[in-house]
Amino acid sequence: MRLFPQGKVPGNLSRRILAALVLIPLVLGALFLGRPYSDLFLLLVVMLMAWEWVHLCHPATHSRLVPAAFTVFAGLSFMTWSSTTPLLAAAFMASGMAGLLAFGWLSRHGKARHEGYWLALGVLYCVLPIVAFQGLYMKPAYGGTLAIWLLLVVWSTDTAAMAAGRTIGGPRLCPRISPNKTWAGLLGGAIFAGLVGLTAGMIFSYAVPMALAVTAAVLAFVAQAGDLVESLVKRHFDVKDSGRLLPGHGGILDRVDGLVTASPCLLVLLEWPLFESWVTG
């Protein structure tokens, strides 16, 4: 069975591959270099996510000031988590969200009211998952490699899910939210993620690589859930891609949707002593 019946790689996929060949070294390079480069890179990701989110909500209603202000606030929120105590960071972010909610509540126009609510939600969506990834990355001794391990798992999930879905086809996973996703793609992504998680765990000399393989397969389901959440938001606003920044990939939000759910999940798992022992022994 051919992945591409006509024997040619679609132009969109070619652009995806070329973009990945550029982006993957940049991402891994920033993480290997460590702070402050990793902090600056993650700050850039947050601000690009925020920029796309504010344009996604109601693109026709914004002046230039609104996207700029929201993007700067998201960046400052991330920086407070990086440089202050969690309590102060949470208070800063909550105050901004309260202002956005008040804007929505006080607005007399339905569209603007909904915009305020969606922007408040966007603060959580754009900032907290990247904070979780940074927290994972900053874990002493093993955090850097575990952050890279997670990226490999999420990337492999996306790639294998697309390949398995196109090759095998079959019943749709959630046709009302994302018509192209199939159960075969979901299972194929989980299986391949498990293999990648096992291989990377052996390369990084983790204590129990097989347990990390099972964890990777579970995180594949979590990452696909994040993909569906982002698809639901895009369907709500009737757009195909969150942006055009990445050729063949859409926008930043389209590329980090799996990390949005997988990063907090893995960070929570690390609080379980048994899971940490699978990494450190």
Side-chain angles (χ1 to χ4, degrees), residues 45-115:
V45 170
V46 168
M47 296 183 74
L48 289 174
M49 289 174 67
W51 180 263
E52 288 186 356
W53 183 275
V54 74
H55 283 87
L56 185 65
C57 290
H58 291 293
T61 65
H62 291 309
S63 67
R64 294 182 180 180
L65 179 61
V66 175
F70 182 78
T71 301
V72 169
F73 174 70
L76 290 174
S77 297
F78 175 77
M79 290 173 62
T80 58
W81 283 97
S82 302
S83 57
T84 64
T85 65
L87 182 61
L88 288 175
F92 176 80
M93 199 163 74
S95 64
M97 290 178 61
L100 291 170
L101 290 172
F103 163 74
W105 185 75
L106 293 173
S107 175
R108 296 181 178 180
H109 303 288
K111 183 175 288 188
R113 175 177 297 180
H114 293 155
E115 179 181 309

Side-chain angles (χ1 to χ4, degrees), residues 161-173:
M162 181 181 68
R166 289 186 175 183
T167 304
I168 302 171
R172 303 296 172 179
L173 178 62

Side-chain angles (χ1 to χ4, degrees), residues 91-181:
F92 176 80
M93 199 163 74
S95 64
M97 290 178 61
L100 291 170
L101 290 172
F103 163 74
W105 185 75
L106 293 173
S107 175
R108 296 181 178 180
H109 303 288
K111 183 175 288 188
R113 175 177 297 180
H114 293 155
E115 179 181 309
Y117 299 157
W118 277 102
L119 289 178
L121 178 63
V123 175
L124 297 176
Y125 188 90
C126 297
V127 177
L128 291 186
I130 309 304
V131 168
F133 184 83
Q134 185 188 48
L136 175 69
Y137 176 76
M138 293 307 298
K139 289 287 184 181
Y142 61 86
T145 60
L146 197 57
I148 293 172
W149 178 89
L150 177 62
L151 288 175
L152 295 175
V153 166
V154 173
W155 290 340
S156 62
T157 299
D158 288 342
T159 303
M162 181 181 68
R166 289 186 175 183
T167 304
I168 302 171
R172 303 296 172 179
L173 178 62
C174 257
R176 292 186 178 182
I177 297 176
S178 186
N180 294 326
K181 286 184 172 53

